[in-house]
Amino acid sequence: MSRLVVISNRVALPKDVRAGGLASAMQSALAETGGLWFGWSGRLVDEGERTLQRLGDGRVDFALLDLTREEYARYYLGFSNRTLWPLLHFRPSLLDYSRDDFAGYRSVNRLFAEHVARLLQPGDRVWVHDYHLIPLGAELRALGVDAQIGFFLHIPLPPRELLAILPHHEHVFSALAAYDLVGVQTSADLDALTRYFQVEYGATIADGQAVHLPDGRRFRAAAFPIGIDTGRVARAAERAANGAATRRLVTSLEHRRLAIGVDRLDYSKGLPQRFEAFGRFLSRHEEWRAKVSLLQIAPPSRSDVPEYRELRSRLERIAGATNGRYAEPDWVPIRYVNRSFNQATLAGFYRAADVGLVTPLRDGMNLVAKEFVAAQPADDPGVLVLSSLAGAARELTQAVLINPHDPDDIVDALREALAMPLHDRRERWSAMMDHLRRHDITYWRNTFLDALADT
Ligand code: ADQ
Protein backbone atom coordinates (compact mmCIF):
# COMPACT_ATOMS: atom_id res chain seq x y z
CA MET A 1 0.00 0.00 0.00
CA SER A 2 1.29 3.46 -0.82
CA ARG A 3 2.68 5.66 1.94
CA LEU A 4 0.33 8.18 3.58
CA VAL A 5 1.59 11.70 4.21
CA VAL A 6 -0.53 13.74 6.65
CA ILE A 7 -0.06 17.50 6.91
CA SER A 8 -1.70 19.62 9.60
CA ASN A 9 -0.85 22.74 11.55
CA ARG A 10 0.05 20.71 14.67
CA VAL A 11 0.87 17.04 14.86
CA ALA A 12 0.12 14.67 17.75
CA LEU A 13 3.21 12.77 18.83
CA PRO A 14 2.62 9.23 20.16
CA LYS A 15 3.07 10.25 23.81
CA ASP A 16 1.05 13.44 23.48
CA VAL A 17 -1.50 13.51 26.32
CA ARG A 18 -3.75 15.87 24.37
CA ALA A 19 -4.17 13.25 21.66
CA GLY A 20 -7.89 12.90 20.88
CA GLY A 21 -9.87 10.92 18.33
CA LEU A 22 -8.38 12.59 15.29
CA ALA A 23 -4.84 12.09 16.52
CA SER A 24 -5.34 8.40 17.19
CA ALA A 25 -7.10 7.89 13.83
CA MET A 26 -4.18 9.49 12.04
CA GLN A 27 -1.64 7.56 14.09
CA SER A 28 -3.30 4.24 13.29
CA ALA A 29 -3.74 5.11 9.58
CA LEU A 30 -0.07 6.05 9.40
CA ALA A 31 0.96 2.91 11.26
CA GLU A 32 -1.02 0.69 8.86
CA THR A 33 0.47 2.03 5.68
CA GLY A 34 3.68 3.50 7.00
CA GLY A 35 3.67 7.22 6.87
CA LEU A 36 4.82 10.69 7.54
CA TRP A 37 3.12 13.41 9.61
CA PHE A 38 4.28 16.94 8.88
CA GLY A 39 3.41 20.08 10.83
CA TRP A 40 4.57 23.00 12.93
CA SER A 41 6.85 22.02 15.82
CA GLY A 42 5.16 24.48 18.20
CA ARG A 43 8.54 26.23 18.53
CA LEU A 44 9.05 29.91 17.72
CA VAL A 45 12.56 30.86 16.58
CA ASP A 46 14.42 33.80 15.13
CA GLU A 47 14.89 34.06 11.39
CA GLY A 48 17.85 31.91 10.37
CA GLU A 49 17.45 29.48 13.29
CA ARG A 50 14.64 27.42 11.77
CA THR A 51 15.08 23.65 11.97
CA LEU A 52 13.16 20.70 10.57
CA GLN A 53 13.14 18.13 13.32
CA ARG A 54 12.71 14.47 12.35
CA LEU A 55 11.37 11.92 14.84
CA GLY A 56 10.02 8.45 14.30
CA ASP A 57 9.96 4.79 15.11
CA GLY A 58 10.73 3.47 11.64
CA ARG A 59 7.13 2.93 10.62
CA VAL A 60 5.75 6.43 11.32
CA ASP A 61 7.89 9.51 10.82
CA PHE A 62 7.27 12.99 12.11
CA ALA A 63 8.68 16.11 10.46
CA LEU A 64 8.33 19.21 12.62
CA LEU A 65 9.09 22.63 11.25
CA ASP A 66 9.77 25.74 13.38
CA LEU A 67 8.12 29.08 12.64
CA THR A 68 9.38 32.57 13.30
CA ARG A 69 7.46 34.85 15.68
CA GLU A 70 6.41 36.98 12.74
CA GLU A 71 5.07 33.94 10.85
CA TYR A 72 3.20 32.76 13.93
CA ALA A 73 1.63 36.20 14.41
CA ARG A 74 0.54 36.57 10.77
CA TYR A 75 -0.24 33.02 9.64
CA TYR A 76 -1.59 31.50 12.87
CA LEU A 77 -2.91 34.23 15.16
CA GLY A 78 -3.79 36.60 12.34
CA PHE A 79 -5.15 35.13 9.15
CA SER A 80 -6.05 31.63 10.44
CA ASN A 81 -7.59 32.58 13.76
CA ARG A 82 -8.75 36.19 13.44
CA THR A 83 -9.86 36.08 9.81
CA LEU A 84 -10.77 32.59 8.63
CA TRP A 85 -11.97 31.16 11.96
CA PRO A 86 -14.63 33.84 12.67
CA LEU A 87 -15.72 34.07 9.03
CA LEU A 88 -16.13 30.32 8.61
CA HIS A 89 -18.03 30.21 11.91
CA PHE A 90 -20.59 32.71 10.55
CA ARG A 91 -19.20 35.62 12.62
CA PRO A 92 -18.14 38.22 10.01
CA SER A 93 -18.42 41.00 12.60
CA LEU A 94 -15.40 39.48 14.38
CA LEU A 95 -13.36 39.27 11.18
CA ASP A 96 -10.08 41.15 11.33
CA TYR A 97 -8.35 41.25 7.96
CA SER A 98 -4.95 42.61 7.04
CA ARG A 99 -2.99 42.24 3.84
CA ASP A 100 0.15 41.52 5.85
CA ASP A 101 -1.55 38.66 7.66
CA PHE A 102 -2.78 37.26 4.36
CA ALA A 103 0.74 37.50 2.91
CA GLY A 104 2.07 35.68 6.02
CA TYR A 105 -0.57 32.94 5.61
CA ARG A 106 0.41 32.40 1.99
CA SER A 107 4.12 32.40 2.71
CA VAL A 108 3.83 29.80 5.52
CA ASN A 109 1.77 27.61 3.18
CA ARG A 110 4.53 28.01 0.56
CA LEU A 111 7.17 27.22 3.17
CA PHE A 112 5.32 24.05 4.26
CA ALA A 113 4.97 23.04 0.58
CA GLU A 114 8.69 23.48 -0.11
CA HIS A 115 9.64 21.28 2.84
CA VAL A 116 6.96 18.65 2.14
CA ALA A 117 7.84 18.47 -1.58
CA ARG A 118 11.42 17.51 -0.67
CA LEU A 119 10.18 14.68 1.56
CA LEU A 120 7.70 13.15 -0.89
CA GLN A 121 8.39 9.84 -2.61
CA PRO A 122 6.81 8.42 -5.77
CA GLY A 123 3.41 6.85 -5.05
CA ASP A 124 2.75 8.83 -1.82
CA ARG A 125 -0.82 9.90 -1.00
CA VAL A 126 -1.10 13.27 0.72
CA TRP A 127 -3.84 14.29 3.20
CA VAL A 128 -3.94 17.97 4.20
CA HIS A 129 -6.02 19.12 7.19
CA ASP A 130 -8.00 22.23 7.99
CA TYR A 131 -8.32 25.95 7.40
CA HIS A 132 -4.71 26.83 8.21
CA LEU A 133 -3.57 25.03 5.08
CA ILE A 134 -6.18 25.66 2.37
CA PRO A 135 -3.59 26.85 -0.24
CA LEU A 136 -1.09 24.08 0.50
CA GLY A 137 -2.29 21.79 -2.32
CA ALA A 138 -1.96 24.55 -4.91
CA GLU A 139 1.54 25.36 -3.61
CA LEU A 140 2.53 21.69 -3.93
CA ARG A 141 1.15 21.57 -7.48
CA ALA A 142 3.15 24.71 -8.33
CA LEU A 143 6.27 22.81 -7.27
CA GLY A 144 5.41 20.00 -9.68
CA VAL A 145 3.94 17.52 -7.17
CA ASP A 146 1.52 15.22 -9.00
CA ALA A 147 0.67 12.88 -6.10
CA GLN A 148 -2.97 12.33 -5.10
CA ILE A 149 -3.77 15.09 -2.61
CA GLY A 150 -6.87 15.23 -0.43
CA PHE A 151 -8.02 18.01 1.90
CA PHE A 152 -10.41 17.87 4.86
CA LEU A 153 -12.01 20.95 6.40
CA HIS A 154 -12.84 20.35 10.09
CA ILE A 155 -14.82 23.55 10.58
CA PRO A 156 -18.01 24.78 8.83
CA LEU A 157 -18.17 26.33 5.40
CA PRO A 158 -20.72 29.16 5.32
CA PRO A 159 -22.73 30.18 2.25
CA ARG A 160 -21.09 32.02 -0.64
CA GLU A 161 -22.46 35.41 0.45
CA LEU A 162 -20.41 35.14 3.63
CA LEU A 163 -17.31 33.70 1.97
CA ALA A 164 -17.36 36.60 -0.49
CA ILE A 165 -16.96 39.07 2.41
CA LEU A 166 -13.32 38.02 2.70
CA PRO A 167 -11.08 40.37 0.70
CA HIS A 168 -9.38 38.39 -2.09
CA HIS A 169 -11.48 35.36 -1.17
CA GLU A 170 -10.92 33.98 -4.66
CA HIS A 171 -7.20 33.56 -3.90
CA VAL A 172 -8.04 31.48 -0.85
CA PHE A 173 -10.97 29.30 -1.86
CA SER A 174 -10.14 28.75 -5.55
CA ALA A 175 -7.02 26.96 -4.27
CA LEU A 176 -9.32 24.10 -3.24
CA ALA A 177 -9.51 23.15 -6.93
CA ALA A 178 -5.89 21.98 -6.74
CA TYR A 179 -6.90 19.00 -4.57
CA ASP A 180 -8.19 15.73 -5.99
CA LEU A 181 -10.69 15.42 -3.14
CA VAL A 182 -12.10 18.04 -0.77
CA GLY A 183 -13.90 16.64 2.28
CA VAL A 184 -16.24 18.63 4.52
CA GLN A 185 -18.25 17.65 7.60
CA THR A 186 -21.88 17.90 6.42
CA SER A 187 -24.08 18.13 3.35
CA ALA A 188 -24.74 21.81 4.20
CA ASP A 189 -20.99 22.51 3.97
CA LEU A 190 -20.89 20.59 0.70
CA ASP A 191 -23.78 22.65 -0.72
CA ALA A 192 -21.97 25.85 0.25
CA LEU A 193 -18.79 24.66 -1.44
CA THR A 194 -20.36 23.59 -4.73
CA ARG A 195 -22.54 26.72 -4.86
CA TYR A 196 -19.46 28.92 -4.34
CA PHE A 197 -17.71 27.31 -7.30
CA GLN A 198 -20.84 27.53 -9.46
CA VAL A 199 -21.47 31.21 -8.84
CA GLU A 200 -17.88 32.47 -8.63
CA TYR A 201 -16.34 30.41 -11.41
CA GLY A 202 -19.23 29.05 -13.49
CA ALA A 203 -18.33 25.50 -12.42
CA THR A 204 -20.67 22.66 -13.29
CA ILE A 205 -21.39 19.97 -10.74
CA ALA A 206 -21.89 16.35 -11.81
CA ASP A 207 -23.50 13.81 -9.44
CA GLY A 208 -23.52 16.47 -6.71
CA GLN A 209 -19.80 15.82 -6.16
CA ALA A 210 -17.63 16.29 -9.26
CA VAL A 211 -16.77 19.96 -9.67
CA HIS A 212 -15.70 20.95 -13.21
CA LEU A 213 -14.26 24.41 -13.79
CA PRO A 214 -14.43 26.08 -17.21
CA ASP A 215 -10.60 26.19 -17.34
CA GLY A 216 -10.47 22.39 -17.28
CA ARG A 217 -9.60 21.94 -13.57
CA ARG A 218 -11.75 19.40 -11.78
CA PHE A 219 -11.96 17.96 -8.28
CA ARG A 220 -14.30 15.86 -6.21
CA ALA A 221 -16.06 17.21 -3.11
CA ALA A 222 -18.00 15.18 -0.55
CA ALA A 223 -19.21 15.16 3.04
CA PHE A 224 -17.39 12.86 5.48
CA PRO A 225 -18.86 13.48 8.97
CA ILE A 226 -16.03 12.80 11.41
CA GLY A 227 -16.59 10.17 14.10
CA ILE A 228 -14.89 9.17 17.35
CA ASP A 229 -13.23 5.97 18.52
CA THR A 230 -16.57 4.86 19.95
CA GLY A 231 -15.46 1.53 21.42
CA ARG A 232 -12.44 3.09 23.09
CA VAL A 233 -14.45 5.92 24.70
CA ALA A 234 -17.07 3.44 25.95
CA ARG A 235 -14.41 1.16 27.47
CA ALA A 236 -12.51 4.08 28.98
CA ALA A 237 -15.72 5.41 30.57
CA GLU A 238 -16.57 2.04 32.06
CA ARG A 239 -13.10 1.70 33.55
CA ALA A 240 -13.01 5.30 34.76
CA ALA A 241 -16.35 4.93 36.56
CA ASN A 242 -14.49 3.27 39.45
CA GLY A 243 -11.42 5.46 39.17
CA ALA A 244 -10.40 7.98 41.80
CA ALA A 245 -11.24 11.13 39.79
CA THR A 246 -14.81 10.05 38.97
CA ARG A 247 -15.44 8.80 42.49
CA ARG A 248 -14.28 12.11 43.96
CA LEU A 249 -16.61 13.96 41.61
CA VAL A 250 -19.58 11.72 42.42
CA THR A 251 -18.95 11.92 46.18
CA SER A 252 -18.76 15.71 46.01
CA LEU A 253 -22.22 15.83 44.40
CA GLU A 254 -23.88 14.26 47.46
CA HIS A 255 -26.62 12.72 45.30
CA ARG A 256 -27.34 15.95 43.46
CA ARG A 257 -27.75 15.86 39.69
CA LEU A 258 -25.03 16.96 37.28
CA ALA A 259 -24.98 18.67 33.90
CA ILE A 260 -21.61 18.79 32.14
CA GLY A 261 -20.04 20.93 29.42
CA VAL A 262 -16.55 20.31 27.98
CA ASP A 263 -15.19 22.74 25.42
CA ARG A 264 -12.11 24.63 24.39
CA LEU A 265 -12.62 28.18 25.62
CA ASP A 266 -13.79 29.51 22.25
CA TYR A 267 -16.48 32.01 21.28
CA SER A 268 -17.95 29.53 18.78
CA LYS A 269 -18.91 27.18 21.63
CA GLY A 270 -21.75 29.31 23.04
CA LEU A 271 -20.43 29.32 26.62
CA PRO A 272 -21.87 32.69 27.78
CA GLN A 273 -25.27 31.65 26.44
CA ARG A 274 -24.98 28.32 28.30
CA PHE A 275 -24.06 30.00 31.60
CA GLU A 276 -26.84 32.59 31.20
CA ALA A 277 -29.35 29.83 30.44
CA PHE A 278 -28.28 27.84 33.50
CA GLY A 279 -28.83 30.93 35.67
CA ARG A 280 -32.24 31.47 34.07
CA PHE A 281 -33.09 27.80 34.71
CA LEU A 282 -32.40 28.24 38.43
CA SER A 283 -34.33 31.49 38.53
CA ARG A 284 -37.37 29.99 36.84
CA HIS A 285 -37.34 26.51 38.40
CA GLU A 286 -36.82 27.06 42.11
CA GLU A 287 -37.48 23.37 42.73
CA TRP A 288 -34.11 22.59 41.07
CA ARG A 289 -32.04 24.97 43.21
CA ALA A 290 -29.41 23.11 45.23
CA LYS A 291 -30.41 19.95 43.34
CA VAL A 292 -28.31 20.25 40.17
CA SER A 293 -24.88 21.68 39.29
CA LEU A 294 -23.24 22.56 36.00
CA LEU A 295 -19.64 21.36 35.69
CA GLN A 296 -18.03 23.35 32.89
CA ILE A 297 -14.55 22.26 31.84
CA ALA A 298 -13.01 24.82 29.51
CA PRO A 299 -9.25 24.98 29.06
CA PRO A 300 -8.09 28.32 27.61
CA SER A 301 -7.10 28.25 23.95
CA ARG A 302 -5.56 30.86 21.65
CA SER A 303 -4.98 33.18 24.61
CA ASP A 304 -2.83 35.41 22.38
CA VAL A 305 -5.97 36.42 20.45
CA PRO A 306 -7.80 39.34 22.17
CA GLU A 307 -11.33 37.97 21.55
CA TYR A 308 -10.41 34.83 23.53
CA ARG A 309 -9.13 36.83 26.50
CA GLU A 310 -12.32 38.91 26.50
CA LEU A 311 -14.45 35.77 26.44
CA ARG A 312 -12.59 34.44 29.46
CA SER A 313 -13.32 37.54 31.54
CA ARG A 314 -16.94 37.53 30.43
CA LEU A 315 -17.40 33.93 31.56
CA GLU A 316 -15.76 34.63 34.89
CA ARG A 317 -18.21 37.49 35.40
CA ILE A 318 -21.31 35.42 34.55
CA ALA A 319 -20.20 32.40 36.60
CA GLY A 320 -19.35 34.67 39.54
CA ALA A 321 -22.68 36.49 39.37
CA THR A 322 -24.71 33.26 39.07
CA ASN A 323 -22.84 31.60 41.90
CA GLY A 324 -23.10 34.72 44.07
CA ARG A 325 -26.83 34.82 43.53
CA TYR A 326 -27.80 31.18 44.01
CA ALA A 327 -25.01 29.38 45.89
CA GLU A 328 -25.64 27.86 49.30
CA PRO A 329 -22.95 27.18 51.90
CA ASP A 330 -22.85 23.56 50.71
CA TRP A 331 -23.69 23.94 47.01
CA VAL A 332 -22.31 25.91 44.05
CA PRO A 333 -24.39 26.12 40.85
CA ILE A 334 -21.56 26.46 38.30
CA ARG A 335 -18.29 24.60 38.82
CA TYR A 336 -16.04 26.29 36.32
CA VAL A 337 -12.71 24.58 35.65
CA ASN A 338 -10.13 26.09 33.28
CA ARG A 339 -7.90 23.11 32.62
CA SER A 340 -7.44 20.01 30.49
CA PHE A 341 -8.04 16.43 31.56
CA ASN A 342 -6.94 13.28 29.81
CA GLN A 343 -9.52 11.51 27.67
CA ALA A 344 -10.05 8.68 30.17
CA THR A 345 -10.81 11.08 33.03
CA LEU A 346 -13.19 13.06 30.83
CA ALA A 347 -14.96 9.84 29.84
CA GLY A 348 -15.56 9.08 33.53
CA PHE A 349 -16.94 12.59 34.11
CA TYR A 350 -19.30 12.26 31.12
CA ARG A 351 -20.56 8.97 32.52
CA ALA A 352 -21.20 10.50 35.93
CA ALA A 353 -23.33 13.29 34.41
CA ASP A 354 -27.09 13.23 33.88
CA VAL A 355 -27.05 15.81 31.11
CA GLY A 356 -24.45 16.73 28.46
CA LEU A 357 -24.80 20.39 27.48
CA VAL A 358 -23.32 20.99 24.03
CA THR A 359 -24.54 24.37 22.83
CA PRO A 360 -22.16 25.83 20.20
CA LEU A 361 -23.34 28.78 18.10
CA ARG A 362 -21.68 26.99 15.20
CA ASP A 363 -19.51 23.89 15.02
CA GLY A 364 -18.14 21.85 12.13
CA MET A 365 -19.05 18.63 13.96
CA ASN A 366 -18.42 18.66 17.76
CA LEU A 367 -16.76 15.53 19.08
CA VAL A 368 -17.71 16.20 22.70
CA ALA A 369 -21.37 15.48 21.82
CA LYS A 370 -20.35 12.10 20.43
CA GLU A 371 -17.97 11.32 23.32
CA PHE A 372 -20.70 12.11 25.86
CA VAL A 373 -23.07 9.61 24.24
CA ALA A 374 -20.39 6.91 23.89
CA ALA A 375 -19.49 7.24 27.60
CA GLN A 376 -23.01 6.61 28.94
CA PRO A 377 -23.97 3.38 30.74
CA ALA A 378 -26.53 1.38 28.72
CA ASP A 379 -28.76 0.71 31.74
CA ASP A 380 -29.06 4.34 32.87
CA PRO A 381 -27.87 6.73 30.15
CA GLY A 382 -27.72 10.50 30.50
CA VAL A 383 -29.37 12.89 28.05
CA LEU A 384 -27.57 14.93 25.40
CA VAL A 385 -28.79 18.51 24.89
CA LEU A 386 -27.32 19.56 21.55
CA SER A 387 -27.24 22.72 19.46
CA SER A 388 -28.97 22.30 16.12
CA LEU A 389 -26.13 24.47 14.71
CA ALA A 390 -23.46 21.82 15.33
CA GLY A 391 -22.68 19.39 12.51
CA ALA A 392 -23.29 16.55 15.01
CA ALA A 393 -27.00 17.48 15.18
CA ARG A 394 -27.47 16.05 11.69
CA GLU A 395 -26.52 12.60 12.95
CA LEU A 396 -27.54 12.69 16.64
CA THR A 397 -31.16 13.47 15.90
CA GLN A 398 -32.35 11.72 19.09
CA ALA A 399 -30.63 14.34 21.25
CA VAL A 400 -32.76 17.13 22.72
CA LEU A 401 -32.03 19.70 20.03
CA ILE A 402 -31.98 23.40 20.88
CA ASN A 403 -31.23 26.75 19.29
CA PRO A 404 -28.39 28.22 21.39
CA HIS A 405 -29.50 31.78 20.61
CA ASP A 406 -32.72 31.21 22.56
CA PRO A 407 -31.88 30.83 26.28
CA ASP A 408 -35.45 29.66 26.98
CA ASP A 409 -34.87 26.77 24.61
CA ILE A 410 -31.89 25.66 26.72
CA VAL A 411 -33.92 26.15 29.93
CA ASP A 412 -36.75 23.96 28.61
CA ALA A 413 -34.31 21.34 27.32
CA LEU A 414 -32.58 21.14 30.71
CA ARG A 415 -35.87 20.60 32.45
CA GLU A 416 -36.93 17.99 29.92
CA ALA A 417 -33.57 16.19 30.18
CA LEU A 418 -33.54 16.13 33.99
CA ALA A 419 -37.07 14.74 34.09
CA MET A 420 -36.82 12.30 31.19
CA PRO A 421 -38.06 8.79 32.03
CA LEU A 422 -35.57 5.92 31.82
CA HIS A 423 -37.42 4.26 28.95
CA ASP A 424 -37.07 7.41 26.74
CA ARG A 425 -33.45 7.90 27.71
CA ARG A 426 -32.60 4.34 26.76
CA GLU A 427 -34.41 4.52 23.45
CA ARG A 428 -32.71 7.75 22.41
CA TRP A 429 -29.30 6.59 23.59
CA SER A 430 -29.46 3.19 21.80
CA ALA A 431 -30.27 4.82 18.48
CA MET A 432 -27.40 7.31 18.82
CA MET A 433 -24.94 4.71 20.10
CA ASP A 434 -25.79 2.39 17.25
CA HIS A 435 -25.02 5.17 14.79
CA LEU A 436 -21.74 6.04 16.54
CA ARG A 437 -20.58 2.43 16.54
CA ARG A 438 -21.17 2.10 12.81
CA HIS A 439 -19.76 5.54 11.91
CA ASP A 440 -16.65 5.67 14.05
CA ILE A 441 -13.30 7.33 13.38
CA THR A 442 -11.96 4.33 11.44
CA TYR A 443 -15.01 4.43 9.17
CA TRP A 444 -14.41 8.16 8.58
CA ARG A 445 -10.74 7.73 7.73
CA ASN A 446 -11.36 4.73 5.46
CA THR A 447 -14.22 6.35 3.53
CA PHE A 448 -12.07 9.45 2.94
CA LEU A 449 -9.00 7.51 1.84
CA ASP A 450 -11.07 5.15 -0.37
CA ALA A 451 -12.70 8.15 -2.05
CA LEU A 452 -9.27 9.70 -2.58
CA ALA A 453 -8.02 6.49 -4.15
CA ASP A 454 -11.03 6.57 -6.53
CA THR A 455 -10.33 10.08 -7.84
P1 ADQ B 1 -12.74 21.54 18.25
O1 ADQ B 1 -13.26 22.89 17.95
O2 ADQ B 1 -11.53 21.48 19.08
O3 ADQ B 1 -12.48 20.70 16.91
P2 ADQ B 1 -14.45 19.28 19.25
O4 ADQ B 1 -14.94 18.58 18.06
O5 ADQ B 1 -15.45 19.32 20.34
O6 ADQ B 1 -13.98 20.77 18.98
O7 ADQ B 1 -13.17 18.51 19.75
C1 ADQ B 1 -12.56 18.84 20.95
C2 ADQ B 1 -11.74 17.65 21.45
O8 ADQ B 1 -10.92 18.11 22.51
C3 ADQ B 1 -12.60 16.52 21.98
O9 ADQ B 1 -12.05 15.30 21.63
C4 ADQ B 1 -12.57 16.76 23.50
O10 ADQ B 1 -12.67 15.58 24.26
C5 ADQ B 1 -11.24 17.41 23.68
N1 ADQ B 1 -11.32 18.34 24.83
C6 ADQ B 1 -12.13 19.39 24.95
N2 ADQ B 1 -11.96 19.97 26.17
C7 ADQ B 1 -11.02 19.25 26.80
C8 ADQ B 1 -10.40 19.31 28.09
N3 ADQ B 1 -10.75 20.22 29.01
N4 ADQ B 1 -9.45 18.41 28.36
C9 ADQ B 1 -9.11 17.49 27.46
N5 ADQ B 1 -9.66 17.34 26.26
C10 ADQ B 1 -10.60 18.22 25.92
C11 ADQ B 1 -12.54 20.99 15.50
C12 ADQ B 1 -13.88 21.53 14.99
C13 ADQ B 1 -15.01 20.59 15.39
C14 ADQ B 1 -14.72 19.18 14.86
C15 ADQ B 1 -13.30 18.74 15.23
C16 ADQ B 1 -12.91 17.43 14.53
O11 ADQ B 1 -14.14 22.84 15.50
O12 ADQ B 1 -16.27 21.05 14.90
O13 ADQ B 1 -15.65 18.27 15.43
O14 ADQ B 1 -12.34 19.72 14.86
O15 ADQ B 1 -13.11 17.51 13.15
Side-chain angles (χ1 to χ4, degrees):
M1 216 189 292
S2 67
R3 185 174 76 143
L4 179 63
V5 176
V6 174
I7 310 170
S8 53
N9 175 58
R10 295 301 301 271
V11 310
L13 297 171
K15 293 200 182 99
D16 199 335
V17 285
R18 292 175 312 159
L22 178 66
S24 60
M26 288 303 138
Q27 278 156 355
S28 63
L30 290 163
E32 266 169 38
T33 59
L36 172 67
W37 195 342
F38 182 99
W40 172 38
S41 62
R43 275 176 15 115
L44 297 177
V45 297
D46 289 329
E47 193 71 60
E49 287 178 3
R50 191 195 311 281
T51 61
L52 180 71
Q53 201 189 344
R54 300 295 301 270
L55 303 168
D57 55 11
R59 189 110 181 102
V60 183
D61 286 323
F62 295 89
L64 305 172
L65 186 66
D66 301 333
L67 292 180
T68 67
R69 285 176 185 82
E70 167 89 8
E71 286 165 345
Y72 172 73
R74 302 232 169 266
Y75 145 81
Y76 181 77
L77 296 179
F79 197 75
S80 294
N81 285 323
R82 296 196 72 194
T83 308
L84 288 178
W85 178 271
L87 182 70
L88 270 54
H89 282 88
F90 294 66
R91 301 287 289 276
S93 60
L94 295 179
L95 180 147
D96 184 57
Y97 174 86
S98 95
R99 286 189 178 188
D100 288 342
D101 286 352
F102 184 37
Y105 177 76
R106 292 170 88 173
S107 82
V108 168
N109 271 269
R110 203 169 311 124
L111 179 77
F112 268 37
E114 285 161 6
H115 283 273
V116 170
R118 273 182 236 135
L119 300 171
L120 288 179
Q121 299 164 3
D124 280 349
R125 292 166 300 159
V126 181
W127 190 357
V128 179
H129 288 266
D130 231 0
Y131 60 103
H132 317 86
L133 301 175
I134 293 171
L136 184 58
E139 295 292 351
L140 286 169
R141 296 287 183 228
L143 294 169
V145 171
D146 67 353
Q148 278 185 322
I149 312 181
F151 175 80
F152 186 77
L153 183 68
H154 290 260
I155 67 176
L157 200 68
R160 187 197 72 84
E161 289 74 8
L162 276 178
L163 293 176
I165 289 173
L166 178 67
H168 309 295
H169 58 91
E170 58 285 359
H171 294 303
V172 180
F173 301 114
S174 72
L176 290 170
Y179 293 103
D180 295 297
L181 175 65
V182 174
V184 289
Q185 298 274 24
T186 68
S187 59
D189 303 320
L190 180 61
D191 288 347
L193 179 67
T194 51
R195 182 97 190 114
Y196 178 84
F197 275 89
Q198 278 175 315
V199 176
E200 293 293 328
Y201 304 112
T204 54
I205 315 294
D207 306 328
Q209 295 204 332
V211 183
H212 294 223
L213 282 91
D215 63 8
R217 284 181 297 167
R218 53 179 59 194
F219 66 98
R220 208 174 138 194
F224 301 91
I226 193 167
I228 56 166
D229 192 338
T230 312
R232 186 165 130 180
V233 175
R235 286 190 299 277
E238 207 175 330
R239 268 198 309 274
N242 296 316
T246 309
R247 272 189 302 164
R248 273 208 310 276
L249 171 64
V250 171
T251 307
S252 75
L253 290 171
E254 298 184 313
H255 305 292
R256 295 185 175 101
R257 312 286 291 278
L258 181 68
I260 191 168
V262 175
D263 311 74
R264 277 186 308 103
L265 220 165
D266 191 296
Y267 54 75
S268 66
K269 303 292 183 186
L271 294 168
Q273 289 80 356
R274 190 181 305 166
F275 280 15
E276 299 275 11
F278 194 71
R280 194 179 289 205
F281 173 77
L282 296 174
S283 139
R284 200 163 294 164
H285 299 291
E286 281 183 43
E287 69 280 14
W288 279 108
R289 289 188 201 163
K291 300 232 169 65
V292 59
S293 293
L294 168 62
L295 169 61
Q296 177 63 53
I297 296 175
S301 72
R302 304 176 194 165
S303 317
D304 295 336
V305 177
E307 288 77 15
Y308 288 73
R309 288 198 298 271
E310 282 154 27
L311 172 68
R312 191 168 178 183
S313 329
R314 189 171 163 205
L315 287 170
E316 281 163 6
R317 275 200 307 277
I318 310 175
T322 307
N323 285 345
R325 183 149 177 208
Y326 297 108
E328 298 287 342
D330 60 346
W331 169 73
V332 179
I334 302 181
R335 300 180 177 194
Y336 180 38
V337 184
N338 283 136
R339 53 166 281 213
S340 286
F341 292 88
N342 66 39
Q343 295 285 315
T345 306
L346 279 183
F349 290 174
Y350 291 139
R351 196 178 177 94
D354 301 282
V355 181
L357 268 184
V358 182
T359 58
L361 305 179
R362 215 30 99 163
D363 221 326
M365 177 54 61
N366 196 298
L367 297 180
V368 169
K370 295 186 170 183
E371 290 163 2
F372 175 82
V373 171
Q376 296 308 306
D379 57 344
D380 187 15
V383 179
L384 175 65
V385 172
L386 176 61
S387 164
S388 56
L389 304 176
R394 291 166 176 262
E395 294 170 83
L396 303 178
T397 51
Q398 294 82 6
V400 179
L401 296 177
I402 54 99
N403 184 323
H405 295 283
D406 179 2
D408 291 336
D409 220 11
I410 305 179
V411 170
D412 293 346
L414 253 174
R415 201 163 77 116
E416 182 186 346
L418 287 166
M420 192 178 286
L422 179 61
H423 169 75
D424 285 5
R425 285 189 277 127
R426 275 196 186 145
E427 209 168 85
R428 287 171 185 252
W429 176 80
S430 306
M432 292 192 282
M433 192 59 178
D434 187 45
H435 176 88
L436 294 179
R437 282 200 191 281
R438 282 185 286 117
H439 301 88
D440 67 359
I441 188 79
T442 307
Y443 174 87
W444 172 76
R445 179 238 294 169
N446 289 342
T447 49
F448 185 93
L449 290 176
D450 289 350
L452 180 61
D454 275 352
T455 55

